Amino acid sequence: MSDRLKFSFVAPALPSGGTLVVFAGDDLALAPAVVDLLGPAAVEAVSRAMAAEKFKAKAKSSLVVPGPAGLQADRLVVVGIGKASDRRETDHVALGGAVAGAVGRARAVLVLLDGPEDFRSDPEAAADIALGARLRAYAFDRYKTKKDEDEQDLTTAFAIACADPAAAKKAWKARDAVASGVVLARDLVNEPPNVLYPAEFARRAAALSDLGVEVEVFDEKQLGKIGMRALLGVGQGSAHESQVVVMRWSGARKKGTAPLCFIGKGVCFDTGGVSLKPGAGMEDMKGDMAGAACVVGLMHALAARKAKVDAVGIIGLVENMPDGKAIRPGDILTSLSGQTIEIINTDAEGRLVLADVLWYAKERFKPAAMIDLATLTGAIVVALGQENAGLFSNDDAIADRLVAAGRATGENVWRMPLGSAYDKMIDSKFADMKNTGGRHAGSVTAAQFLKRFVGDVPWAHLDVAGTAMGSPASDVNRSWASGWGVRLLDRFVAEHYE
Ligand code: BES
Ligand code: MN
Ligand code: ZN
């Protein structure tokens, strides 16, 4: 079960049980309003506990005080917010994650948001705490049939007490929509590949129509008519039919403006094909559809918060299998653009899928900008690890906006180069291009390949192979899948296109 927490926003008051959370800075002082509310006995209990445990209130650290004197709460949890000099910059989303981590599986939680003067406690801060808590509490346990007692599906009433609960509730509405998008993306990436094959993925994307998204699903017959032979080539060794899903959200104030297009690589499982991957770790390739999952999560977020933008999501869904019918190294495919591609390695399949989807998006929607997300190369993980996604773009303004949105959300991107010297590396003896560029600069030649299918459209490519899955535990995520990119792109849209 993925959503344990039930949020509410209330006026400050003491709870009659459950877990009470308060914040303390590194001077160990509680906010004056909190001191008044707790009363002298509880304040004394807290300071004795802090001294006994040598609690320093470092940012996001926590201390549990069971059965605090003078209170009806079953326990009080003090969460650190660190040094005064850092408090203005506090990332309330990460802090909310730390709070959810510290309280564990309590039945009722009340967070008193008041802190020292230099700590933000406005409605936006309250809503950010809830966002972080919801993301942190996510767990993918659908396939666990045996659960410990403390893992049972119990819900937690999670209340945040602040000065203006009505405004906080309003601010939470949009964040809740985005959180649902992140959770949806995580669920899709975590699902096993026998369950989430292309047609099933398409069905889940089609459920966005409940939110007012117009959804079209194309099957292999229709894709053949359109001419997506590069994409179909990847899927031709699989028992599962390839699919392309187009999702349209029309929320712009003015009708007829050029939309933003978001495009995702949706390789539901990547064995490498005939150029088979080694066995060790191959199970992780169920996450090779994380780009597509992010696009679906983003479309969910935009529709659920009724974003004032026209956005189109397009995902290419395939399974890359070795088979008698599969493509071979040496094959030449004709893409939708008419350009021909010599297959050197059938494991460089994501770019074949994206080539057709990018071209289709450009021709059909004449977008103001296109952004694709793909778990495209192992080389990007070598270059940037799991801290940054690789960003490649033909447009400095879009690139700068993505970098800024990354800083604001903690979903960071690092710009990588493009250039004609790299482009030459994918010229082919037999066709217009080949699908790999050799050992050097593997992420860059992959991006150069995509660039041949975007024409003059302002475009950015995000290589998310390092950030979307196998994620290290963070304040806001404990799951294998991170849902990376939903918050980044939601922010990008909200700041510049609404
Ligand atoms: N899906 C992989 C890339 C990948 C690797 C994603 C590790 C997540 C973690 C992609 O399809 C692939 O296999 N790329 C090859 C390209 C090579 C054959 C040019 C790679 O990175 O090795
Ligand atoms: Mn591959
Ligand atoms: Zn792949």
Side-chain angles (χ1 to χ4, degrees), residues 265 267 270 277 285 288 320 347-350 375-376:
K265 168 179 173 180
V267 177
D270 181 13
K277 285 182 182 298
M285 285 301 115
D288 208 20
N320 187 21
D347 197 11
E349 84 297 340
T375 48
L376 202 62

Side-chain angles (χ1 to χ4, degrees), residues 89-111:
E89 303 298 307
T90 296
D91 177 348
H92 283 73
V93 181
L95 184 63
V99 169
V103 301
R105 288 176 176 257
R107 278 199 182 275
V109 174
L110 176 72
V111 181

